[in-house]
Amino acid sequence: MALLLRHSRKLRRVHGVLDCERGSIARHFSASACSTTLKKEDAGVSNSSLEYGKKAGSLSISQDRKSGKDTHKFKQVSPQEARGLYSSNRVLISATGVNSLFSCGQVVLARHFSSAADLPAHEEIGMPSLSPTMTEGNIARWVKKEGDKVSPGEVLCEVETDKATVEMECMEEGYLAKIVCGDGAKEIKVGEIIAITVEEEGDIEKFKDYKAPASSAAPAESKPQSESTEPKGEEKELPKAAEPKATKTEESSHSGDRVFSSPIARKLAEDNNVPLSSLKASEAKGTKKEAAAAPGLGHVDLPNSQIRKVTANRLLKSKQTIPHYYLTVDSRVDELIKLRSELNPLQDASGGKKISINDLVIKAAALALRKVPECNSSWMNDFIRQYHNVNINVAVQTEHGLFVPVVRDADKKGLATIADEVKQLALRARDNSLKPEDYEGGTFTVSNLGGPFGIKQFCAIVNPPQAAILAIGSAEKRVIPGTDGQFEVGSFMSATLSCDHRVIDGAIGAEWLKAFKGYLENPTTMLL
């Protein structure tokens, strides 16, 4: 007991934290760690229980506060539970329920040991999942260096996700002993070890030559050593590994005595009575990425950022899987321009941000979504999910890629608030400092290429899981018939709604555009 408590400052105070008669301290070992830490002569531990403990991978030492005696208990843990324990990397509280936890339930503090007996207790920090769609990330830079002391809330490093560059904070106090993935490391899988922290400063030197295990990138697939030895009488038949199959695009190729070929190649060989083993794969090179440029062409290869790769995959999937259709309407915006010119002097006087045409468009779109909620929805295969909140994503182009920060509850906010939020979000997007809460949870997107670039009209790609996106063109003056046979000049702006036909029928999309146009041409109604 004393040996285990000396391993961690946190564990020394555990009985003072537990407000119950009986508390438990659990430390989880690999097979090698168990064999070196536990001795056969330890009180209350028999050879059979020691062997059982190795298999289970969990040792629990309980102390009765009344008697002051230590008791040793072993608990067998399923592979699924073991993976859950090892994936947390932090304090684990196990109880049958909240009531039992606070009324004398069992509280377990778990910390990981290395598989090597010469390494002290440490924490393996994995690549976190910082967005719902993130599967891998890049290390932009480390803020802390090896040997630095770290405290909860301090920034360890900056991680480039599929959406933005996010600061990764430290969760526990200690020392950064080893940086496994340095500055600029690319395509690190979620869960893969990127750093090691220790509690004691003197343990830093022991991790100088530390190398992360090869299986650290896929903890869900790896199995602890304790699973390799099954209890007698409970042997299970292992599932047979699936044989690799040649894809349809794969041409004939040889691997030892086996010939891999496509169905077309096999059919042609059969029709012409030609053995496949006598054929040589002549088009294998065509399946590889051709990196060489044509002779005489100067070029430069620009590496794709994580956000650009993810954006490309999502847009491709959107066009391939979502049945798009497009509706375009021209709105006369003279009254909109007039309202803006009247509001901005008031904003200047109060020290607020100037209101742009795009801010007015966001407000009009939000109110139209409240009036036609069918367009504020998502396709969920078995049902259509209609949202109560109107959260508008605003497309912002930066040198790092395309970002879509979100203005939440835009239908309930005033124009001054929307103007301030949009400018703050656009600034953070250009600085590559958006946080997940700045871009997650949108229900509709607005993309404006008119004001900044003078594009008259364009069709945007739906941003899944949303069902629609609005493309705004530039305002232009047109000569139109006026009263008494006279002509007048009016300003018109083109707006194109891209819809997911699975969610929004044509008539519903047209109804939304009608409501949107009404707000643009009579903008004072947005203030009511």
Side-chain angles (χ1 to χ4, degrees):
M1 178 71 176
L3 172 63
L4 293 177
L5 288 181
R6 283 198 302 271
H7 243 313
S8 172
R9 294 185 304 239
K10 299 180 181 65
L11 292 181
R12 298 190 198 116
R13 303 190 295 268
V14 67
H15 291 301
V17 175
L18 300 177
D19 188 18
C20 57
E21 294 183 355
R22 181 179 297 274
S24 295
I25 306 171
R27 304 205 80 173
H28 302 275
F29 297 83
S30 65
S32 59
C34 274
S35 61
T36 57
T37 306
L38 298 179
K39 305 297 182 182
K40 292 182 180 180
E41 59 269 19
D42 284 350
V45 185
S46 65
N47 291 338
S48 60
S49 63
L50 176 61
E51 184 66 27
Y52 183 77
K54 288 183 183 179
K55 295 172 184 176
S58 177
L59 168 64
S60 178
I61 303 178
S62 303
Q63 184 181 54
D64 192 327
R65 289 188 174 180
K66 292 183 178 180
S67 64
K69 296 181 180 180
D70 296 340
T71 58
H72 298 71
K73 296 185 294 182
F74 293 92
K75 177 183 177 183
Q76 190 162 14
V77 182
S78 68
Q80 292 79 8
E81 293 174 319
R83 281 194 289 269
L85 293 174
Y86 285 104
S87 64
S88 66
N89 280 340
R90 295 184 180 88
V91 175
L92 172 72
I93 298 180
S94 174
T96 56
V98 175
N99 294 332
S100 63
L101 176 62
F102 290 96
S103 60
C104 239
Q106 185 180 20
V107 179
V108 181
L109 298 181
R111 188 165 182 82
H112 304 289
F113 277 74
S114 64
S115 58
D118 59 338
L119 290 179
H122 61 277
E123 183 178 358
E124 297 172 344
I125 299 177
M127 171 62 72
S129 178
L130 299 173
S131 75
T133 57
M134 179 178 173
T135 58
E136 59 183 29
N138 304 334
I139 301 293
R141 71 182 184 96
W142 282 92
V143 177
K144 294 290 185 178
K145 296 188 281 293
E146 290 184 0
D148 286 355
K149 185 175 182 179
V150 294
S151 301
E154 291 185 344
V155 177
L156 280 176
C157 63
E158 293 179 355
V159 177
E160 183 184 339
T161 72
D162 57 341
K163 299 291 178 87
T165 299
V166 182
E167 293 178 341
M168 177 179 171
E169 296 181 352
C170 182
M171 303 300 294
E172 293 186 7
E173 184 177 352
Y175 294 87
L176 183 58
K178 182 69 176 180
I179 294 177
V180 179
C181 300
D183 292 352
K186 303 286 186 181
E187 299 179 356
I188 306 169
K189 300 294 183 184
V190 169
E192 185 175 344
I193 298 173
I194 61 174
I196 298 293
T197 60
V198 294
E199 293 180 359
E200 305 294 342
E201 187 175 7
D203 294 336
I204 296 175
E205 186 65 23
K206 298 177 182 179
F207 291 88
K208 181 179 180 181
D209 300 323
Y210 175 86
K211 294 185 182 300
S215 60
S216 65
E221 297 178 359
S222 61
K223 296 184 179 180
Q225 292 180 350
S226 58
E227 289 185 41
S228 60
T229 308
E230 294 288 343
K232 293 181 180 180
E234 296 185 11
E235 294 183 359
K236 298 179 181 180
E237 183 180 355
L238 295 177
K240 295 182 180 180
E243 293 185 359
K245 297 181 180 180
T247 61
K248 294 183 179 181
T249 59
E250 190 176 343
E251 297 295 334
S252 301
S253 61
H254 298 272
S255 177
D257 296 332
R258 186 174 180 180
V259 179
F260 294 94
S261 60
S262 66
I264 295 177
R266 290 196 296 271
K267 183 68 168 58
L268 289 174
E270 182 181 353
D271 293 344
N272 293 276
N273 296 321
V274 177
L276 284 174
S277 58
S278 64
L279 299 177
K280 183 178 180 181
S282 59
E283 298 184 17
K285 295 181 180 179
T287 62
K288 297 181 180 180
K289 179 183 176 182
E290 296 183 2
L297 289 180
H299 71 282
V300 58
D301 293 329
L302 304 176
N304 288 324
S305 64
Q306 193 71 14
I307 185 173
R308 184 167 293 278
K309 288 191 289 186
V310 171
T311 300
N313 290 333
R314 286 173 61 83
L315 293 179
L316 178 63
K317 183 178 180 181
S318 176
K319 287 294 287 185
Q320 289 178 334
T321 61
I322 295 178
H324 285 62
Y325 74 91
Y326 311 95
L327 300 173
T328 302
V329 68
D330 289 341
S331 303
R332 186 170 182 177
V333 291
D334 294 286
E335 292 297 323
L336 192 74
I337 296 172
K338 180 182 178 182
L339 176 64
R340 176 176 178 262
S341 64
E342 293 173 352
L343 293 176
N344 277 335
L346 300 177
Q347 286 291 98
D348 292 336
S350 62
K353 303 289 185 182
K354 285 189 175 183
I355 297 171
S356 67
I357 293 295
N358 201 49
D359 299 329
L360 292 161
V361 166
I362 293 170
K363 180 67 174 179
L367 293 176
L369 287 170
R370 195 165 67 183
K371 184 175 289 187
V372 187
E374 293 89 345
C375 293
N376 196 44
S377 306
S378 293
W379 176 258
M380 308 299 291
N381 290 326
D382 294 330
F383 55 90
I384 293 174
R385 175 169 293 164
Q386 191 173 114
Y387 301 103
H388 298 307
N389 300 87
V390 179
N391 300 336
I392 306 292
N393 287 105
V394 183
V396 178
Q397 182 65 43
T398 74
E399 61 180 7
H400 307 288
L402 181 64
F403 292 88
V404 281
V406 62
V407 178
R408 301 184 185 278
D409 296 317
D411 58 320
K412 302 174 184 177
K413 292 178 178 176
L415 289 169
T417 303
I418 292 175
D420 184 65
E421 284 192 20
V422 169
K423 288 175 175 59
Q424 291 294 332
L425 290 169
L427 181 62
R428 289 204 288 271
R430 294 187 178 96
D431 291 341
N432 205 18
S433 60
L434 287 173
K435 296 180 179 180
E437 57 266 24
D438 292 332
Y439 50 77
E440 292 176 357
T443 61
F444 187 90
T445 300
V446 172
S447 179
N448 189 340
L449 295 179
F453 305 104
I455 301 300
K456 181 180 178 180
Q457 186 267 336
F458 69 102
C459 299
I461 300 174
V462 172
N463 181 25
Q466 299 170 14
I469 182 172
L470 182 66
I472 299 295
S474 61
E476 63 175 8
K477 293 186 180 296
R478 300 177 188 172
V479 177
I480 56 174
T483 58
D484 300 329
Q486 301 296 319
F487 290 91
E488 59 183 85
V489 177
S491 295
F492 288 82
M493 186 173 68
S494 174
T496 300
L497 183 69
S498 304
C499 300
D500 181 347
H501 213 321
R502 299 172 301 178
V503 181
I504 304 172
D505 294 331
I508 299 297
E511 184 181 351
W512 185 91
L513 268 183
K514 180 181 178 181
F516 174 72
K517 179 178 179 178
Y519 285 120
L520 291 187
E521 295 186 340
N522 300 283
T524 53
T525 58
M526 292 191 287
L527 307 178
L528 299 178

